[in-house]
């Protein structure tokens, strides 16, 4: 049976100008965040140890541990709140509520894990507070006339509750049952975050106006403004208290994070996170001795108090759905390259257990990366919806501007062959490139090209069409000639690939079928493979030339044996919630899959 070796998890899903909440578990071991319909739980000491919860039907916005540590509550854009078990792998659902219709933006538990406050963009109300096991109301969240962005509850008795809203105000409540006491109108812009200190003596509010105010946790009286006037030069998206309640971490759109000594009202550290817009800081968490922030790039930064200009570590990866992937071996190391729909290309290189995630330096693609391959000169060749084909030197790992070739129409697929050739499929056009230059184009095809592969010998290009046929072309010098030969697939072609020895061409189609043609026998049909329940979208040959893998919209991956369609290895639910978008083999027994869930998984495959 196939089993998973490594799962490279997605990063937090972020958007510009919106706070990103990172939750922490009460014991200090884990942190959690959301991406799409998933909640990702990661070990703070070793983030490669992770778990994922996928039961929401809509995009999840916030997830928080109960103070007991046994449950997590997560809220989504439809207003559903799910409370689920953390102790078992199955994460059984305990309760589900709909406190209001609209996006849940934040939630908070009382210290006894019995009451929950939920706030957001409801239609008739912006918040609710209720008993976790019955849903019975334990107060009212009133006093705001716009969306409530943030809520927190004092973790010591007597209970207090605070909220922050787009109406530029914070509000203070006493309870239970929680009743509105007064409005705090010190801020001049949206209030993005309110947080009580762990000991309950103080709470702080942070706003888009760049200010942080500190109040008395029991009475709600103003104590001070951190930094006197402005705490940051840009809007502040998140704050998090130190476990001993003496210091506060703040994250801002001015691309810095700061640590404040709240009692002395002084800055302890300023962390400069960079100069790029993607270095804006949208979220933060102080967990044990770890200081975490989330950048607009989706990257998770571990801050270093001793060296504020360089994080201890940065967790990189994809936060948007992955469209394509390829694998390359160099100096005994395997590198996995994956491209996503925001133009980001990621490098995973596997050295024993240590998993490093990296990216290229310089300016890269600006839109979805549709296809990628590595050519014989160790260049990563990629095409993108930004209408370019790029050649990136893998040893330098730098996007160089001169190696981006502009296409007349949008490219959607490419294949590389020996001798410096690349065949690029654009909308309604096939382009032949040699040594990074366009040298020939075929227009007026009479069909729409969807996928391309070049025979290992380098003389033939096979182009799969939406017309359900594979069209063969000869590469002759600097031109591409049609062989006037078509092979019939069982439906519109979605992907195709030659085996590494050039003996077979495997073609997958929208009618759930994979057809393998024998090259030496004049491309006669060799075998047909049935099993997918939905459109098959990607295909890849094992280095052994006897097996190939296919991935489909049914979230299934099958590993097939060329000589026997009945012998197959099945990986069900390879990526929950999202179809498989790319496959590649690291070696004869290791398959890598990727998907629109922004994660990359590596599987061990064995044949009985």
């Amino acid at each position: 049976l196939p089993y998973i070796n490594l799962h490279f998890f997605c990063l937090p899903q972020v958007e510009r100008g919106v706070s990103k909440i990172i939750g922490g578990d009460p014991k200090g071991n884990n942190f959690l965040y959301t991406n799409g319909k998933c909640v990702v739980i990661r070990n703070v000491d070793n983030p490669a140890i992770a778990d994922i919860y996928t039961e929401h039907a809509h995009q999840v916005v916030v997830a928080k541990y109960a103070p007991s540590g046994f449950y997590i509550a997560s809220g989504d854009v439809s207003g559903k709140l799910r409370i689920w078990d953390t102790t078992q792998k199955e994460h059984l659902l305990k309760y589900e509520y709909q406190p209001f219709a609209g996006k849940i933006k934040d939630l908070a538990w009382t210290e006894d894990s019995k009451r929950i406050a939920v706030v957001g963009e409801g239609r008739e109300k912006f918040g609710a507070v209720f008993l976790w096991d019955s849903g019975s109301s334990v107060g009212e969240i009133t006093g705001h006339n716009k969306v409530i962005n943030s809520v927190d509850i004092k973790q010591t008795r007597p209970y207090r509750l605070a909220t922050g809203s787009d109406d530029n105000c914070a509000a203070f409540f006493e309870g239970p049952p929680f009743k509105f006491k007064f409005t705090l109108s010190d801020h001049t812009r949206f209030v993005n975050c309110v947080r009580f200190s762990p000991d309950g003596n103080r709470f702080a509010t942070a706003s888009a106006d760049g200010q942080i105010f500190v109040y008395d946790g029991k009475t709600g009286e103003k104590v001070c403004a951190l930094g006197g006037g402005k705490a940051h030069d840009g809007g502040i998206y998140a704050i998090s208290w130190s476990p001993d309640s003496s210091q506060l971490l703040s994250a801002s759109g001015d691309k810095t994070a700061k640590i404040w000594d709240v009692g002395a009202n002084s800055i302890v550290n300023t962390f400069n996170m960079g100069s790029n817009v993607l270095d804006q800081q949208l979220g933060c968490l102080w967990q044990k001795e770890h200081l975490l922030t989330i950048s607009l790039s989706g990257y998770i930064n571990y801050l270093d108090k001793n060296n504020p200009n360089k994080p201890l570590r940065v967790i990189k990866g994809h936060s948007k759905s992955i469209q394509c992937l390829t694998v390359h071996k160099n100096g005994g190391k395997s590198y996995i390259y994956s491209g996503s729909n925001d133009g980001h290309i990621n490098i995973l290189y596997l050295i024993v257990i240590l998993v490093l995630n990296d990216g290229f330096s310089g300016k890269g693609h600006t839109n979805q990366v549709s296809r990628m391959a590595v050519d014989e000169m160790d260049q990563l060749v990629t095409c993108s919806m930004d209408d370019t084909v790029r050649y990136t030197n893998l040893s330098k790992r730098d996007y160089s501007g001169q190696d981006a070739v502009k296409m007349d129409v949008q490219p959607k697929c490419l294949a590389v062959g020996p001798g410096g050739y690349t065949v690029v499929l654009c909308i309604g056009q096939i382009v032949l490139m040699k040594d990074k230059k366009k040298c020939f184009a075929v227009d007026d095809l009479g069909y729409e090209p969807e996928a391309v592969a070049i025979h290992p010998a380098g003389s033939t290009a096979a182009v799969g069409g939406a017309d359900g046929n594979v069209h063969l072309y000869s590469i002759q010098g600097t031109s591409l000639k049609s062989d006037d030969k078509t092979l019939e697939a069982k439906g519109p072609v979605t992907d195709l690939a030659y085996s590494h020895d050039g003996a077979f061409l495997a073609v997958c189609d929208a009618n759930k079928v994979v057809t393998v043609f024998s090259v030496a026998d004049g491309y006669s049909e060799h075998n047909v493979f049935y099993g997918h329940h939905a459109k098959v979208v990607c295909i890849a040959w094992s280095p052994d030339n006897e097996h190939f893998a296919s991935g489909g919209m049914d979230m299934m991956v099958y590993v097939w044996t060329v000589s026997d369609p009945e012998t197959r290895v099945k990986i069900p639910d390879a990526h929950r919630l999202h179809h498989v978008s790319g496959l590649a083999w690291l070696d004869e027994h290791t398959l890598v899959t990727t998907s629109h869930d922004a994660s990359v998984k590596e599987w061990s495959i064995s044949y009985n």
Side-chain angles (χ1 to χ4, degrees), residues 107-129:
L107 62 93
W109 294 78
T110 50
E111 46 78 37
D112 59 6
S113 302
K114 289 187 174 151
R115 300 170 190 81
I116 300 181
V118 181
V119 299
E121 309 182 6
R123 297 207 181 98
E124 57 293 325
K125 58 179 182 176
F126 302 117
V129 54

Side-chain angles (χ1 to χ4, degrees), residues 412-482:
K412 53 187 179 179
C413 190
L414 59 77
V416 296
Y421 286 111
T422 306
V423 176
V424 184
L425 302 188
C426 301
I427 295 171
Q429 185 186 52
I430 304 173
V431 178
L432 177 69
M433 297 175 71
K434 183 166 167 54
D435 304 328
K436 307 187 197 172
K437 292 187 177 62
K438 290 192 270 190
C439 57
F440 197 80
V442 184
D443 296 297
D444 301 325
L445 298 172
Y447 68 95
E448 184 56 46
E450 295 292 347
V452 61
I454 297 179
H455 189 274
S459 54
T460 306
V463 178
D467 61 351
N469 292 315
V470 177
H471 304 257
L472 300 178
Y473 295 84
S474 299
I475 298 173
Q476 300 172 359
T478 54
S479 68
L480 201 59
K481 300 257 190 314
S482 170

Side-chain angles (χ1 to χ4, degrees), residues 11-13 20-21 32-36 38-40 60-63 75:
L11 292 176
Q13 183 173 351
K20 184 68 191 177
I21 295 170
L32 46 82
Y33 56 80
T34 62
N35 183 323
C38 307
V39 178
V40 181
V60 199
V61 183
V62 57

Side-chain angles (χ1 to χ4, degrees), residues 528-549:
V528 186
F529 300 81
Y530 297 94
H532 280 283
H533 301 309
K535 184 171 166 177
V536 190
V537 290
C538 49
I539 200 152
W541 282 88
S542 161
D544 66 12
N545 294 313
E546 291 171 14
H547 300 92
F548 63 91

Side-chain angles (χ1 to χ4, degrees), residues 137-218:
S137 173
V138 283
E140 279 191 291
I141 294 182
T142 54
H144 289 293
N145 55 24
K146 284 195 178 143
V147 175
I148 301 179
N149 297 316
S150 185
V151 63
D152 203 20
I153 295 174
K154 179 162 150 315
Q155 294 296 296
T156 52
R157 289 174 184 271
Y159 289 158
R160 299 288 183 265
L161 183 149
T163 53
S165 160
D166 272 7
D167 62 11
N168 303 353
C169 295
F172 189 70
F173 300 76
E174 290 179 2
F178 291 97
K179 288 194 186 70
F180 170 76
K181 277 305 196 214
F182 47 81
T183 298
L184 305 161
S185 39
D186 297 301
H187 288 291
T188 56
R189 297 284 313 279
F190 298 169
V191 180
N192 288 325
C193 191
V194 296
R195 293 293 179 256
F196 279 92
S197 60
D199 63 11
N201 291 336
R202 300 271 182 271
F203 73 94
T205 62
S207 156
D209 61 14
Q211 292 180 292
I212 298 173
F213 290 105
V214 179
Y215 302 89
D216 183 283
K218 195 172 165 188

